[in-house]
Amino acid sequence: MALTASTYRISRCSSRSLFRRIALLSPLTLVVFLTGCLSQKMYIDPALPKVEYAELVSTGEKHSVQVFFEFQSKGSLNANATQQLKPRVLADIKKSGLFTSVSEAADPTNAGYKLFITINNVPVDKNAVSKGVGTGLTFGLVGTMVTDGYTCKASYQRPEIAPIEKNYTHAIYTTIGNADGPKGLPPLKPQEAVFQMVDGFTLNILNDLRKDSAL
Amino acid sequence: MKMLKFWFAACVSVCVFFLSGCSATAPNYQTSNDNIQALSAIPGQKVAVGAIEYGPKGHALNSLSIRGGSFNSPINDSWAAYVQGALESELTASGRFDANSTIKVSGTLLENDLDGASFSTGTAHISVRFVVERNGQKVYDQVVTVDNQWDSSMIGAVAIPAARRNYIATISVLIGKLFRDEEFERALR
């Protein structure tokens, strides 16, 4: 078999030098290719009251409503997350049955009934990135748990009546690699956890507006 | 010497892993609740939206990149068109848009910068001259400028999404600044 120039050069390397190179390159290669495989589990903080759809019984006349939803990261508009989570919020509000119709577009039938919901992802762990890198470099042996904080601000506006404002807080815990999650909380997949956080906020807003006899 | 070459190659590999980006298209603009509430507080008629044109710097303003990867507008590959679309979205969501209105907002994109290269702070700088015409008469002509900054990172996987997200947020802040301008408010009344 004919040897190419490069294979010939390699064949001339001492086996010791070659093994040293492989030994040095392997961790780097593994870091690059395997870090995405580290297990990630999320846990929903239990502090926000659990509201069931069955509790959402209207206390007054039903109206149509225009819903405005915005997801922020550290107080700034996060267009991607807003786009992904808006359908979930609209579906939750429709499912509640507290409005005759629910839309995100301006509609004459809304007659001035507007519900603004803003969720803001705020940092709780300031060194979350460095903790995550540490976990990645040890292939998950040194696990990490980080906390994502969320605040939610809602404003329900009706014609000629002062708006009703509501504020809530929530948290999602994420473990990466070999770390224990909060005791007593079931692990969830990332999308499931984020949806539960959004559902929790939305149903609490609706329930509290209902208790205020606004719905 | 061989070890030196090896370490150079390894460092380059690590840098590529941590710093590199790739071409990306921005998400569709999403309206801001604060902007809609600010606009809703302004009494007056509905408004049409004219074109946002490129200023003296021309289509060079269209070229944004983050750590070697281009960042493109989803509307005709034009950031001027994206700003125009954002303005129209905010007006539409607040029930204040009418393509046939005698009041028209148009503009000129003067500055458009995005810098996500720094390991510590990312920055965006956008400047637009907005003009409001009522029955063809100019009633508002102001340059609105926003300088935004955010925490960046050495790690590309953190810094690049942050730069993309915060650039779009900068456009949202720009439009909010226009809606909160008392002269703009007077022009719409």
Side-chain angles (χ1 to χ4, degrees), chain B residues 151-169:
Chain B
D151 292 340
S152 189
S153 171
M154 182 184 75
I155 299 165
V158 175
I160 294 167
R164 291 173 186 160
R165 192 172 62 240
N166 281 286
Y167 173 76
I168 302 303

Side-chain angles (χ1 to χ4, degrees), chain B residues 2 12 20 25 27 40 46 55 60 74 79 81-82 91 93 95 98 118 129 138 141 145-146 152 156 159 173-174 184:
Chain B
K2 279 181 181 174
V12 168
S20 68
T25 301
S40 302
K46 292 189 176 183
W79 288 114
Y82 194 85
L91 287 162
D98 177 3
S118 165
R129 175 184 293 280
K138 198 182 283 183
D141 185 348
T145 302
V146 171
S152 189
V173 173
L174 177 92
F184 179 77

Side-chain angles (χ1 to χ4, degrees), chain A residues 66 70 78 86 117-118 133, chain B residues 30 32-33 37 93 155 165:
Chain A
Q66 184 180 6
E70 178 183 351
N78 184 332
K86 192 184 283 178
I117 299 175
T118 307
V133 169
Chain B
Q30 300 293 314
S32 148
N33 286 351
Q37 293 189 56
I155 299 165
R165 192 172 62 240

Side-chain angles (χ1 to χ4, degrees), chain A residues 3-214:
Chain A
L3 290 171
T4 62
S6 60
T7 52
Y8 180 69
R9 274 199 300 275
I10 288 170
S11 70
R12 288 191 66 192
C13 284
S14 70
S15 58
R16 194 177 159 193
S17 169
L18 189 62
F19 282 128
R20 189 186 298 156
R21 285 177 189 215
I22 291 168
L24 284 165
L25 271 174
S26 295
L28 180 65
T29 310
L30 287 170
V31 166
V32 171
F33 289 100
L34 298 184
T35 47
C37 302
L38 296 174
S39 66
Q40 184 185 16
K41 290 173 189 164
M42 289 184 162
Y43 306 82
I44 284 279
D45 186 274
L48 191 71
K50 176 94 177 153
V51 176
E52 301 292 343
Y53 282 101
E55 297 174 50
L56 301 176
V57 179
S58 178
T59 56
E61 189 185 349
K62 288 185 183 179
H63 299 274
S64 56
V65 70
Q66 184 180 6
V67 176
F68 300 87
F69 174 73
E70 178 183 351
F71 190 94
Q72 301 176 337
S73 295
K74 297 180 188 173
S76 294
L77 171 70
N78 184 332
N80 258 328
T82 300
Q83 196 170 315
Q84 286 169 26
L85 296 175
K86 192 184 283 178
R88 183 79 181 188
V89 173
L90 288 166
D92 284 346
I93 298 171
K94 280 178 189 166
K95 194 176 171 184
S96 76
L98 290 169
F99 299 93
T100 53
S101 71
V102 179
S103 69
E104 58 173 314
D107 180 344
T109 62
N110 291 330
Y113 289 83
K114 296 175 181 176
L115 178 58
F116 292 87
I117 299 175
T118 307
I119 297 177
N120 184 15
N121 179 197
V122 291
V124 175
D125 287 319
K126 287 183 180 173
N127 57 347
V129 172
S130 54
K131 284 163 83 177
V133 169
T135 301
L137 290 172
T138 58
F139 312 114
L141 287 175
V142 177
T144 302
M145 185 169 85
V146 293
T147 307
D148 268 299
Y150 297 89
T151 64
C152 178
K153 189 172 68 176
S155 175
Y156 184 49
Q157 302 184 358
R158 295 167 291 171
E160 297 172 10
I161 301 174
I164 299 177
E165 313 283 345
K166 299 286 176 192
N167 290 286
Y168 306 87
T169 57
H170 210 335
I172 294 178
Y173 309 102
T174 304
T175 58
I176 306 165
N178 189 22
D180 292 330
K183 282 182 182 170
L185 298 180
L188 301 166
K189 289 177 181 170
Q191 189 189 50
E192 203 180 343
V194 172
F195 280 173
Q196 280 197 18
M197 176 267 296
V198 168
D199 295 349
F201 278 140
T202 308
L203 297 187
N204 271 278
I205 292 165
L206 295 174
N207 196 34
D208 288 344
L209 289 174
R210 189 189 65 84
K211 286 178 183 170
D212 288 349
S213 302

Side-chain angles (χ1 to χ4, degrees), chain B residues 39 42 105 132 140 178-179 181-188:
Chain B
L39 187 60
I42 305 174
V105 187
V132 179
Y140 176 88
L178 172 71
F179 291 169
D181 182 347
E182 288 181 5
E183 285 190 42
F184 179 77
E185 188 180 325
R186 275 195 290 276
L188 294 199

